[in-house]
Amino acid sequence: MLSFNPLLAQDTGSLELSTVIEVSQMEDDSEVMLEGFIGEQVGDDKYLFKDDTGTMTIEVENDTWRGQNVNEDIKVRIVGEYEKDAGSEEIQVEWLEIVELE
């Protein structure tokens, strides 16, 4: 049986833009959308994501980049799932797009 996942269809109409600080207060497995900047790589597929309110680790698998070249000066929008375990939190990114070039 196939299920429809609106994140995979890039349907972000039902999601509101959140900040890092707002996401850190959400429940585990919440679907989130944020805008900010991807900085330092801290693991195989893990990076630091930063907005005006803070920094959070994100996981971006190779196919999620879709050939986009991103650096710390390029603003992006990410959509994914917030994962919260004892003592750690991250966003598993399912969609990433460049918002503006600087």
Side-chain angles (χ1 to χ4, degrees):
M1 179 175 173
L2 296 175
S3 64
F4 177 74
N5 182 339
L7 292 178
L8 297 179
Q10 295 84 48
D11 176 15
T12 59
S14 62
L15 287 177
E16 291 187 24
L17 197 59
S18 299
T19 65
V20 167
I21 201 157
E22 290 170 339
V23 169
S24 68
Q25 298 168 4
M26 291 181 179
E27 297 293 321
D28 184 36
D29 297 328
S30 295
E31 293 180 356
V32 298
M33 178 171 57
L34 299 94
E35 287 185 1
F37 301 88
I38 297 175
E40 179 183 354
Q41 185 169 3
V42 294
D44 286 339
D45 293 329
K46 297 186 188 270
Y47 300 84
L48 294 181
F49 178 86
K50 177 174 63 169
D51 69 10
D52 292 337
T53 68
T55 302
M56 184 175 289
T57 302
I58 62 172
E59 182 175 353
V60 185
E61 298 196 7
N62 286 336
D63 60 338
T64 306
W65 293 103
R66 297 178 355 269
Q68 300 174 96
N69 293 317
V70 175
N71 63 45
E72 65 275 356
D73 297 321
I74 297 175
K75 189 173 189 178
V76 297
R77 178 179 298 123
I78 60 172
V79 177
E81 186 173 300
Y82 175 59
E83 296 291 329
K84 185 178 192 177
D85 294 322
S88 73
E89 59 184 359
E90 72 177 30
I91 298 170
Q92 293 183 353
V93 178
E94 297 177 19
W95 179 256
L96 181 148
E97 64 184 352
I98 293 172
V99 176
E100 65 181 46
L101 296 173
E102 299 203 4

